[in-house]
Amino acid sequence: MHVFLIRRLLTLVPVLVIVLVIVFSLVRLIPGDPAVTLLGPGATNAQIAALRAQLNLDEPVLLQFWHYIAGLTQGDMGVSLKTGRPVLQEILSRLPATLEIAFGAVIVAIVVGTPIGVYSAIRVNRLPDHVLRVLSLTGVSMPAFLLALLLQLVLGTWLGWLPVSGRISSYYFFDEITGFMLVDAWLSGEPGAVLSALSHLVLPVIVLSSFLAATLARFIRASMLETLGEDFVRTAKAKGLSRRQVIVGHALRNSLLPAITVVGLKFAEMLGGAILTETVFSWPGLGRFMFDAIQSRDYPVIQGATLIFALLFILTSLCVDLLYAALDPRMRRKMT
Amino acid sequence: MELTRRQFGRLTGAFLGTSALPLGMASMAHAQEAATLVVAVPSNPVGLEPANNKAEPVGSEIILNVFDTLVEWVPPTFDKVEGRVAESWTISDDGKTFAFKLRDGITFTDGTTLDAAAVKFSVERTIKLNPYVEASLGLIETIETPAPNEVVFTLKSAYPAFLAILAQPQSGIVSPTAVEQLGEGFADAPVGSGPFVIRNYTADTRVVLDANPDYFRGAPKLSRIMYRIIPEASTRRLELENGGIDMIQQASQLSAPATEEIAAFSQNPDIQILESASQIIRQLEFNNAATEGPYADPRVRLAIAHAIDYDGLLSGIFGGTAERVYGPLTSNSWAYNPKVEELAPTYDPEKAKTLLAEAGVSPEALNTTLYSFGGALWGAVATFVQANLADIGVKVTIEQPEFPAYRALQTAGQFNLALDGRQPWYNDPDAHITIGYLSSLADTAMTFRMPKDDALDALILAAQAEVDEAKRKALYFELQEKIVTRTPGAYLFSPKLIIFARANVKGLVVNSAPPLNEYWGVHKD
Amino acid sequence: MSELKLFLRHNHLALAGVIILGIMLLAVLVGPLLLKSPIQIDMAEKLMPPSATHPLGTDSFGRDMLARVLSGGRYTLSIGIVIVAIAFAIGVFFGILAGFCGGWIDTIIMRVVDAILSFPALVLAIALSAAIGPSLQNAMIAVAITMAPQFARVARSQALAVSTRLYVEAATALGLSRRRILLRYVLINSIGPLLVQASLNVGSAILQTSALGFLGLGAQPPMPEWGADVSANLAYARSSPWTALGPGVAILLTVLAFNLLGDALADWFNPRRRSQIQ
């Protein structure tokens, strides 16, 4: 097991190096002078040159790359060109917001997608299956911004049930200790704060989870259908096990492993999709922060955020692989 | 039967009440609501104090409410200056020396006194730390403090617009004690003397300002201002209608036509629409420095100017949220010359075609690219202009490059037609005319790229330095007439400053240049 | 052919997908020829609700929404297919190479694939778009680059599986050239899952391009691309929802149709499922 882990980690090193090179060169490729963007249309060339000098933008590229790598080893990701604050601090302060909706979305996706997939597989080719299949198909075909718009209009304005932006009602103001609004609201002890935070989470989580839930439902359905036709299931039925035991204990269990891989892969994709959700709902997370940084050519922030996204993905796939290996004896044997 | 949001909210509240919510919550929220103003802004403030202020709307407005300047413009016409921190002042005859006498008894929120030394410290610090003020505050030669309540600025050359510069957010006065105590941390928790204090800034989320009860003009009626950063326009609108915010700051309405909001809000009794004129000018610009090509012919430029349906643009795209501009200055500027309204080209496509024929240029020869800033508003204007030009046989393709690329090609003169504009950040005709039309600035900033014309340049510089107000006005009158007759561009529109607010918000002061709000007198009924 | 008909008759959703796609293709190919111009401005008619003359209403410039959606459809369909074609070509090439050759070629290719896959697709596409400039072509290239690794992975695993089959061993023993084996044996037998992936990815390509368009990094005005149209008309969503809903729902239907097609292909290539249906 340890050998497997070490081997996995070793394969990560070249990946990380390539990631760093990609991030750095990509960012440097982005045309447009950050100083120009920061100062706007009314600026003169002299003002722009002064700002460039202040921000050290004139060093040769390789030197900048070297500085950057050296800084990374010490946990220093540089300083935002726009705000002057350390990049790592800026990113870490916004990461909890994104993680909050990402985790929420994963939980909702699993809780909603799994039963749909299972039920669809059990009632295959009959009406419930057709209905649920169309539903999950719609879920994977719906553009996120359309869903967000519809939900905002219907649930937000016309019905007035749910808030449409922000993490908590404007009138609450307390110290944020963890960065996770639910936790901080609870810690603050202000009445109604937790409820407010929860109500603000609903719409973004629904939008973010829809694609994953639908994908999961489709995947579990297909996987279950495969498994249900396998010999061992027939054996279980022949043995006289109850339907429930067969479905959950045998079929579902065997479909779970590949499902974990799917969730793991799609988690990273979902982090990317968070950009759209965060923009529409004014959710102050990392996705939106990175998009703003790209607009204003804030190189250190773009580099840092992309790197963090990549690291999160690598971490997630590592966890998925480990989980997979731990759960599937065949894989374990193959990998050690 | 339609359930109003209130009714539905009550029903939901009753339902949730069974889950043991304290009864006091409702009344507490109400009390907070009455004394807190929630303002929606589209982006983060870039700098919270004068030394790192750039010309951006959010940070600048916060600075205006947290710090005091020496002087400020008087609402509602903003054509006169009154003393804020300054009680009175004199200007020397040569226009180079400005001597201010300060009021007594003004304190910063950390308890220290605002005296001449603090003023000197602030201005010198801003000049040292802020590269953006090079052109404005950089004109100061020396600052002297002959007495604790007297400050004397000596400029390198005569510059009557200096008073306007002193009214800008960059000229805000900071507490020297706090700067020394906090060092780098001052940028995050700055200390001024204004009606509000910065309590908290959470990036991408909100800025919280608390009232300063010891403010020298009297405590503000609000106890808190909360800026909520909401980048999506549709979200801002939804929040205003739901009552989640009290006000949408005007900066948002300058980047996208607000016609739909106006249509929706004018029917809504809970929401008021506040309009005021701005000094922003947007135009279809020619590359005036070009000497070759069909566009270099003044008749061609005049023809293009006649081809634009100015009123159609205002009603079609802006639906009343913008005003007509005829020349280099807007009608609310104290130096505005009404004569430009006669001199400016009218919408006359037939005349356009005739002029082109006279110049011996066929419309096809004018097919080119129309460059513009990015975004929906500019895209809409560009599309409209494209259609107008198509009517006289000129086909243009629209390109909206990223801003740095656009600036690069504009300052290099690599265009024939471009949509451009200026939002003056201080209240003086100098802000539009010198920067826009001085030929020597052509390659160093986004200007009209006027060709070298010694007479015009001399006139511009003379008007900039003229101390006598009446003479100065006459010079600007002459300049406007001269510029308009040269048709450096087609002046398209000036967007109005439009603020959407809940009907119970009163007492707002909206400055025109820079277009920022002062919240000292605001209260909610 | 009759097998196909039988298959479709029993698989309702696949049939639905084929029909929707067929209608859509017909509409976008023929429609713009019959309708008004999608870029003709008519300010007097702006923001009209759906009616007989304007079945989907008009937008803020008075342009007919139906015409815009249908001519936008031409762009969108070709965008989706071109992107997948590019990603397919690049990804499958490297994937099969990696799976068949193994060794250090495999390692290098797969590390690069892993690295690219480490970035959330939209993030990479946004960064790439910003790097090479905001235009439709560049957005397409960006999405294709982020999509190629998926094909590479599938192609590689397929190649790995097929390479160990007896008939490939036999071919190698017979002395057939590597190239011939790759093309005639490995690729042909791997094609099933690859086609499924391709079909599903068309939908994804359309979603991503419209997301980029929505964020302002894709098509530029006055091109009637669906995502860009939704974004441009978002401001009018309250009073005139059809302006944003028209192109938005069009995206939904198109992607749905391709997903249905993909599902049908998956069933077709899976012998067990195929027999289950028939």
Side-chain angles (χ1 to χ4, degrees):
Chain A
M1 190 59 176
H2 301 285
V3 177
F4 168 65
L5 184 60
I6 293 177
R7 270 171 117 205
R8 261 322 247 110
L9 280 175
L10 277 178
T11 58
L12 282 182
V13 172
V15 174
L16 266 174
V17 170
I18 301 177
V19 165
L20 273 172
V21 172
I22 293 179
V23 166
F24 197 82
S25 15
L26 201 62
V27 166
R28 284 292 168 281
L29 272 178
I30 299 180
D33 189 341
V36 170
T37 316
L38 283 173
L39 291 180
T44 61
N45 285 2
Q47 288 169 325
I48 293 172
L51 190 58
R52 278 187 70 88
Q54 208 184 45
L55 297 175
N56 292 328
L57 289 173
D58 292 319
E59 286 181 339
V61 175
L62 279 178
L63 194 62
Q64 291 183 38
F65 188 62
W66 176 245
H67 282 322
Y68 189 65
I69 304 286
L72 275 182
T73 51
Q74 295 171 333
D76 171 22
M77 283 183 156
V79 154
S80 160
L81 294 181
K82 198 170 177 187
T83 63
R85 270 168 243 197
V87 170
L88 192 59
Q89 182 192 327
E90 295 269 57
I91 291 178
L92 288 181
S93 66
R94 289 164 170 89
L95 192 56
T98 303
L99 288 179
E100 220 178 8
I101 45 174
F103 285 146
V106 168
I107 294 174
V108 168
I110 294 177
V111 164
V112 170
T114 315
I116 290 183
V118 172
Y119 194 62
S120 210
I122 301 174
R123 297 261 178 273
V124 64
N125 280 335
R126 291 198 244 149
L127 185 62
D129 177 34
H130 285 304
V131 168
L132 289 175
R133 275 184 83 188
V134 171
L135 194 66
S136 24
L137 265 170
T138 315
V140 297
S141 315
M142 169 90 77
F145 48 86
L146 183 66
L147 183 62
L149 180 65
L150 286 172
L151 286 178
Q152 267 187 335
L153 275 179
V154 175
L155 291 179
T157 310
W158 291 342
L159 292 175
W161 286 354
L162 290 166
V164 297
S165 78
R167 298 178 78 186
I168 200 166
S169 162
S170 310
Y171 300 107
Y172 287 105
F173 173 52
F174 43 76
D175 289 319
E176 284 169 31
I177 307 165
T178 62
F180 291 96
M181 189 57 74
L182 269 182
V183 178
D184 290 331
W186 178 63
L187 286 175
S188 79
E190 291 216 22
V194 176
L195 200 68
S196 180
L198 261 175
S199 65
H200 279 79
L201 265 175
V202 174
L203 289 184
V205 165
I206 291 181
V207 171
L208 199 57
S209 67
S210 62
F211 190 81
L212 186 59
T215 310
L216 199 59
R218 280 157 58 79
F219 187 83
I220 288 192
R221 176 183 180 276
S223 188
M224 290 272 297
L225 284 177
E226 289 262 351
T227 326
L228 281 172
E230 297 258 348
D231 285 338
F232 73 89
V233 171
R234 245 191 297 160
T235 316
K237 278 194 207 163
K239 269 177 26 184
L241 289 173
S242 82
R243 263 201 103 199
R244 194 190 209 179
Q245 276 178 305
V246 172
I247 293 172
V248 176
H250 289 67
L252 183 58
R253 211 147 158 226
N254 280 277
S255 314
L256 266 184
L257 275 175
I260 292 177
T261 322
V262 168
V263 171
L265 275 175
K266 296 292 178 181
F267 181 75
E269 215 178 289
M270 200 174 57
L271 281 181
I275 292 183
L276 278 174
T277 314
E278 287 176 12
T279 309
V280 177
F281 290 102
S282 296
W283 193 264
L286 191 54
R288 213 183 85 190
F289 183 52
M290 189 178 149
F291 185 63
D292 288 340
I294 293 180
Q295 301 288 71
S296 50
R297 309 282 185 269
D298 198 342
Y299 298 148
V301 171
I302 304 173
Q303 277 161 212
T306 319
L307 199 59
I308 297 276
F309 270 122
L311 282 176
L312 276 173
F313 177 75
I314 293 176
L315 209 70
T316 327
S317 29
L318 187 64
C319 286
V320 165
D321 280 347
L322 285 177
L323 202 63
Y324 207 89
L327 289 177
D328 186 350
R330 288 179 297 173
M331 298 306 289
R332 231 187 300 165
R333 239 181 302 140
K334 221 192 274 183
M335 282 179 188
T336 44
Chain B
M1 196 265 295
E2 272 182 14
L3 279 179
T4 65
R5 187 185 173 268
R6 261 275 140 87
Q7 286 173 318
F8 208 102
R10 289 223 181 96
L11 275 174
T12 322
F15 178 85
L16 293 170
T18 54
S19 48
L21 278 174
L23 286 164
M25 178 193 114
S27 49
M28 197 200 303
H30 257 285
Q32 275 180 307
E33 282 176 55
T36 305
L37 186 73
V38 184
V39 182
V41 285
S43 54
N44 281 325
V46 176
L48 292 173
E49 54 117 349
N52 53 20
N53 172 248
K54 318 270 183 302
E56 51 89 17
V58 185
S60 303
E61 186 174 277
I62 293 174
I63 292 175
L64 207 61
N65 285 282
V66 169
F67 297 89
D68 282 318
T69 49
L70 280 171
V71 293
E72 261 315 325
W73 293 92
V74 182
T77 46
F78 300 105
D79 50 8
K80 276 202 186 0
V81 174
E82 69 178 359
R84 193 58 70 82
V85 164
E87 197 175 66
S88 60
W89 63 90
T90 55
I91 310 177
S92 66
D93 289 331
D94 65 357
K96 286 203 234 176
T97 311
F98 291 73
F100 292 89
K101 183 157 179 296
L102 308 178
R103 288 181 210 273
D104 290 321
I106 305 182
T107 51
F108 294 107
T109 51
D110 60 2
T112 54
T113 326
L114 200 166
D115 55 7
V119 174
K120 179 173 153 94
F121 177 85
S122 293
V123 178
E124 285 179 347
R125 175 176 178 267
T126 304
I127 295 177
K128 199 172 74 175
L129 297 177
N130 194 340
Y132 199 72
V133 305
E134 177 73 35
S136 51
L137 292 175
L139 286 172
I140 299 176
E141 179 97 57
T142 60
I143 311 178
E144 276 142 43
T145 54
N149 65 346
E150 280 174 34
V151 188
V152 180
F153 296 90
T154 313
L155 307 179
K156 294 173 186 153
S157 57
Y159 189 50
F162 187 60
L163 276 181
I165 302 286
L166 287 178
Q168 275 188 302
Q170 288 143 2
S171 309
I173 304 169
V174 305
S175 158
T177 326
V179 170
E180 268 148 37
Q181 269 176 357
L182 296 171
E184 296 263 308
F186 185 77
D188 289 326
V191 175
S193 58
F196 292 93
V197 179
I198 297 179
R199 168 86 188 276
N200 170 282
Y201 167 45
T202 311
D204 292 340
T205 313
R206 63 168 111 79
V207 187
V208 182
L209 305 180
D210 277 346
N212 171 14
D214 303 318
Y215 184 50
F216 78 93
R217 282 195 287 160
K221 299 195 178 84
L222 294 170
S223 62
R224 174 173 289 165
I225 300 178
M226 193 176 287
Y227 282 94
R228 274 190 61 189
I229 296 156
I230 305 179
E232 272 292 304
S234 48
T235 316
R236 288 192 292 266
R237 266 207 332 271
L238 286 172
E239 286 284 20
L240 187 65
E241 286 171 340
N242 299 346
I245 58 177
D246 294 311
M247 213 180 97
I248 302 179
Q249 208 261 10
Q250 60 271 28
S252 339
Q253 282 72 269
L254 290 174
S255 54
T259 41
E260 297 320 300
E261 283 89 334
I262 294 201
F265 292 155
S266 48
Q267 316 282 2
N268 190 335
D270 294 326
I271 297 180
Q272 57 173 326
I273 304 175
L274 301 163
E275 288 181 8
S276 57
S278 74
Q279 293 191 27
I280 302 169
I281 297 183
R282 310 285 194 212
Q283 70 266 1
L284 173 68
E285 215 166 61
F286 302 111
N287 180 7
N288 292 289
T291 44
E292 288 169 4
Y295 280 96
D297 187 331
R299 285 168 295 186
V300 170
R301 299 209 291 265
L302 193 56
I304 305 263
H306 276 295
I308 311 285
D309 180 3
Y310 299 99
D311 293 318
L313 181 70
L314 289 179
S315 60
I317 298 201
F318 293 98
T321 59
E323 289 175 337
R324 185 72 207 271
V325 181
Y326 300 92
L329 295 176
T330 51
S331 52
N332 57 352
S333 166
W334 59 261
Y336 177 65
N337 182 352
K339 188 141 182 257
V340 296
E341 291 175 35
E342 300 158 35
L343 296 171
T346 53
Y347 174 47
D348 195 340
E350 292 311 313
K351 184 147 186 218
K353 292 185 198 160
T354 323
L355 277 167
L356 285 183
E358 265 178 50
V361 174
S362 75
E364 289 77 41
L366 296 174
N367 290 353
T368 183
T369 314
L370 171 62
Y371 291 100
S372 160
F373 291 100
L377 175 64
W378 288 104
V381 175
T383 312
F384 192 85
V385 169
Q386 181 188 49
N388 282 164
L389 291 178
D391 285 341
I392 60 165
V394 180
K395 277 196 176 35
V396 295
T397 43
I398 300 175
E399 245 190 67
Q400 293 182 277
E402 290 280 291
F403 173 59
Y406 181 48
R407 184 185 188 280
L409 66 83
Q410 205 272 0
T411 50
Q414 288 159 356
F415 68 97
N416 287 319
L417 291 174
L419 288 179
D420 195 1
R422 175 154 292 102
Q423 180 173 10
W425 211 249
Y426 57 99
N427 191 359
D428 192 277
D430 181 53
H432 266 299
I433 294 200
T434 312
I435 303 176
Y437 303 93
L438 193 62
S439 65
S440 53
L441 292 177
D443 294 328
T444 62
M446 294 183 81
T447 69
F448 276 87
R449 303 182 56 74
M450 299 300 277
K452 191 150 162 37
D453 181 337
D454 293 326
L456 194 65
D457 287 344
L459 193 56
I460 293 177
L461 292 171
Q464 185 187 54
E466 177 56 63
V467 179
D468 182 285
E469 236 184 77
K471 278 197 209 150
R472 197 167 177 235
K473 189 167 176 179
L475 286 173
Y476 277 117
F477 266 48
E478 201 188 326
L479 268 169
Q480 286 169 73
E481 288 173 35
K482 278 210 159 73
I483 290 175
V484 171
T485 44
R486 278 171 168 74
T487 326
Y491 297 99
L492 297 176
F493 63 97
S494 171
K496 289 192 209 168
L497 299 176
I498 300 179
I499 297 177
F500 302 112
R502 304 287 297 174
N504 61 348
V505 176
K506 306 266 188 277
L508 195 62
V509 169
V510 186
N511 290 329
S512 70
L516 308 171
N517 302 336
E518 291 188 59
Y519 298 103
W520 172 63
V522 173
H523 59 277
K524 286 158 72 168
D525 289 335
Chain C
M1 194 56 192
S2 57
E3 217 185 319
L4 186 65
K5 281 197 203 146
L6 201 64
F7 174 76
L8 280 177
R9 195 153 9 120
H10 286 263
N11 191 343
H12 296 162
L13 287 180
L15 190 62
V18 171
I19 291 180
I20 297 180
L21 209 55
I23 296 180
M24 203 157 280
L25 265 166
L26 199 67
V28 301
L29 285 175
V30 173
L33 301 170
L34 304 171
L35 291 171
K36 314 173 185 56
S37 155
I39 54 177
Q40 179 64 41
I41 296 183
D42 186 0
M43 298 309 280
E45 294 269 302
K46 77 176 208 179
L47 294 173
M48 306 285 286
S51 63
T53 44
H54 294 288
L56 281 182
T58 58
D59 71 354
S60 56
F61 283 103
R63 301 180 288 204
D64 181 35
M65 278 316 290
L66 185 63
R68 277 188 82 79
V69 167
L70 289 183
S71 39
R74 285 189 179 180
Y75 288 107
T76 304
L77 284 176
S78 42
I79 286 168
I81 295 175
V82 168
I83 289 179
V84 171
I86 299 176
F88 191 92
I90 303 177
V92 169
F93 174 72
F94 282 105
I96 290 204
L97 202 65
F100 189 67
C101 300
W104 58 268
I105 298 181
D106 181 18
T107 317
I108 292 183
I109 294 180
M110 276 304 123
R111 292 299 142 254
V112 174
V113 165
D114 281 342
I116 299 180
L117 279 175
S118 299
F119 300 94
L122 197 59
V123 166
L124 193 59
I126 292 176
L128 266 171
S129 270
I132 50 185
S135 76
L136 190 57
Q137 293 91 299
N138 292 344
M140 286 165 65
I141 295 174
V143 176
I145 292 179
T146 59
M147 193 175 277
Q150 294 177 29
F151 283 111
R153 274 225 174 140
V154 175
R156 177 179 177 269
S157 64
Q158 281 301 113
L160 272 177
V162 169
S163 305
T164 54
R165 296 277 160 84
L166 273 177
Y167 54 82
V168 174
E169 259 192 69
T172 325
L174 279 174
L176 289 174
S177 78
R178 260 179 138 187
R179 188 153 159 265
R180 197 142 172 231
I181 299 181
L182 268 174
L183 279 175
R184 307 234 15 283
Y185 290 88
V186 181
L187 182 60
I188 303 242
N189 284 289
S190 314
I191 208 75
L194 284 174
L195 276 183
V196 174
Q197 184 78 20
S199 172
L200 291 173
N201 275 3
V202 173
S204 173
I206 294 176
L207 280 177
Q208 283 193 60
T209 316
S210 65
L212 286 176
F214 181 78
L215 292 171
L217 291 169
Q220 304 293 303
M223 197 183 270
E225 195 262 320
W226 288 343
D229 261 7
V230 174
S231 164
N233 290 322
L234 212 51
Y236 310 105
R238 292 295 318 293
S239 50
S240 325
W242 59 86
T243 51
L245 285 179
V249 172
I251 300 175
L252 174 59
L253 284 177
T254 313
V255 177
L256 194 66
F258 275 105
N259 282 336
L260 282 168
L261 190 68
D263 276 0
L265 279 175
D267 284 344
W268 175 263
F269 281 111
N270 185 341
R272 195 184 308 173
R273 283 288 299 141
R274 207 198 295 188
S275 57
Q276 260 182 358
I277 292 171
Q278 289 161 345

